[in-house]
């Protein structure tokens, strides 16, 4: 089935474990589309089980752009994501195919839609400085510092979201201006297309069950073996963005002897549920979207046509 793209793109969004991939495959079967991943974990090669990456068989039959595009030790910025995503969107439209961007990284979707602020680039020294602070003080104490410096950003950022807390503090350290001040003027790289949003958002209780069931399946599929291989890479450590992905950090600490297996499992499930909550909170602010509690391809077809 063909839908005239009319220079439009589809955002297929939802919290983790909501069933976005399965719905994306159904859309692929019905329409002439190009799938583009919007997931800050699926970009990493060798991180397959713990990220719930689609299997090689699925990716062979349902190609997704922006999966397996960098090594876990490499840095990957939102600017880089936007640049690559726009390239793949343009390619799809040139082929008269509908670009469907699917994933759970709300920050990437938001940056694509609204543009980016001119934020200072991280430096090696600044990253080390704030990673050391995080180790010594913990995310909650750093969040308390952020409240004093930039209360607007602190209100939006969860006290356990160490990556965003340290970035907000780093921005102030490098520029002398707060993150909320600099984000007030978002003009860079804004996506110049009509956006049709589909949000897949099951009830919270169902999501919690799915998250636990999925993690148990990951464990059965060899997740700990995957993490052990990653730990053998001397370039990797817990300060890297890749190792902050939910599940990986907890499994790494299991191998360090910090947690036993049950503690690791419990903490990984809790961390994933916290991620789910943050994603769901962000999605509540989305307007003019088709919101589905369950994947329904007929409703999607009606919406897109």
């Amino acid at each position: 089935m063909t839908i005239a793209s009319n220079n439009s793109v589809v955002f297929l969004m939802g919290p983790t474990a909501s069933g976005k991939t399965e719905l994306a495959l159904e859309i692929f079967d019905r329409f002439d589309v190009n799938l583009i991943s919007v997931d800050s974990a699926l970009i990493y090669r060798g991180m397959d089980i713990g990220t719930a990456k689609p299997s090689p068989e699925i990716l062979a039959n349902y190609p997704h752009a922006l999966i397996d595009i960098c090594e876990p030790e490499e840095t990957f910025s939102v600017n880089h994501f936007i640049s690559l995503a726009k390239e793949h969107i343009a390619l799809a439209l040139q082929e008269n195919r509908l670009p469907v961007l699917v994933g759970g990284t709300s920050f990437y979707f938001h940056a694509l839609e609204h543009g980016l602020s001119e934020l200072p680039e991280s430096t090696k020294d600044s990253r080390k400085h704030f990673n050391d602070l995080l180790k010594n003080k913990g995310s909650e104490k750093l969040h308390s510092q952020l409240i004093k410096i930039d209360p607007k950003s602190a209100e939006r950022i969860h006290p356990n979201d160490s990556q965003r807390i340290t970035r907000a503090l780093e921005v102030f350290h490098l520029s002398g201006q707060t993150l909320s001040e600099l984000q007030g003027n978002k003009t860079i790289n804004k996506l110049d297309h009509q956006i049709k949003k589909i949000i897949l958002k099951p009830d919270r209780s169902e999501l919690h069950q799915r998250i636990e069931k999925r993690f148990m399946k990951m464990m059965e599929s060899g997740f700990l073996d995957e993490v052990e291989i990653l730990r053998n890479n001397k370039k990797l450590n817990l300060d890297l963005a890749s190792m902050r992905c939910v599940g990986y950090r907890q499994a790494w600490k299991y191998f360090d002897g910090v947690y036993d297996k049950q503690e690791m499992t419990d903490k990984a499930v809790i961390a994933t549920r916290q991620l789910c909550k943050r994603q769901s909170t962000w999605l509540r602010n989305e307007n003019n979207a088709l919101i589905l509690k369950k994947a329904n391809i007929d409703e999607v077809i009606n919406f897109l046509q």
Side-chain angles (χ1 to χ4, degrees), residues 161-177:
D161 195 343
S162 59
Q163 190 170 357
R164 293 179 67 203
I165 292 167
T166 52
R167 178 55 178 155
L169 290 171
E170 182 187 41
V171 165
F172 182 73
H173 173 77
L174 291 171
S175 69
Q177 292 180 277

Side-chain angles (χ1 to χ4, degrees), residues 42-190:
L42 298 189
I43 62 173
Y44 298 115
R45 289 187 280 271
M47 294 175 61
D48 304 328
I49 299 171
T51 60
K53 189 177 293 178
S55 68
E57 293 76 22
I58 288 175
L59 292 176
N61 292 312
Y62 300 89
H64 289 56
L66 305 189
I67 288 181
D68 288 338
I69 56 174
C70 68
E71 299 298 331
E73 64 268 23
E74 294 174 345
T75 57
F76 186 86
S77 69
V78 65
N79 284 292
H80 194 187
F81 166 77
I82 289 177
S83 176
L84 292 174
K86 290 174 79 171
E87 286 179 17
H88 285 284
I89 288 168
L91 179 63
L93 294 174
Q94 287 170 13
E95 297 172 347
N96 200 31
R97 297 172 69 86
L98 184 68
V100 175
L101 289 89
V102 54
T105 302
S106 304
F107 181 48
Y108 283 2
F109 278 119
H110 189 268
L112 265 176
E113 181 177 5
H114 300 288
L116 282 170
S117 312
E118 290 195 68
L119 300 179
E121 289 285 337
S122 293
T123 67
K124 185 177 180 180
D125 289 341
S126 67
R127 281 196 300 273
K128 183 180 186 306
H129 174 71
F130 286 100
N131 283 332
D132 288 344
L133 277 180
L134 181 62
K135 284 181 184 176
N136 294 329
K137 296 189 175 183
S139 64
E140 291 189 5
K141 285 189 178 179
L142 293 187
H143 190 264
S144 297
Q145 288 185 19
L146 185 61
I147 291 173
K148 297 175 184 177
I149 294 169
D150 186 0
K152 286 185 178 179
S153 291
E155 187 178 356
R156 290 186 289 106
I157 300 174
H158 192 278
N160 293 333
D161 195 343
S162 59
Q163 190 170 357
R164 293 179 67 203
I165 292 167
T166 52
R167 178 55 178 155
L169 290 171
E170 182 187 41
V171 165
F172 182 73
H173 173 77
L174 291 171
S175 69
Q177 292 180 277
T178 65
L179 181 65
S180 55
E181 287 172 339
L182 291 172
Q183 287 182 330
N185 183 24
K186 295 182 177 180
T187 57
I188 304 170
N189 278 334
K190 186 175 179 180

Side-chain angles (χ1 to χ4, degrees), residues 7 35 80 87 108 155 174 204 238 253 256:
N7 204 37
L35 299 177
H80 194 187
E87 286 179 17
Y108 283 2
E155 187 178 356
L174 291 171
R204 182 181 176 186
L238 288 180
K253 288 188 174 182
D256 280 344

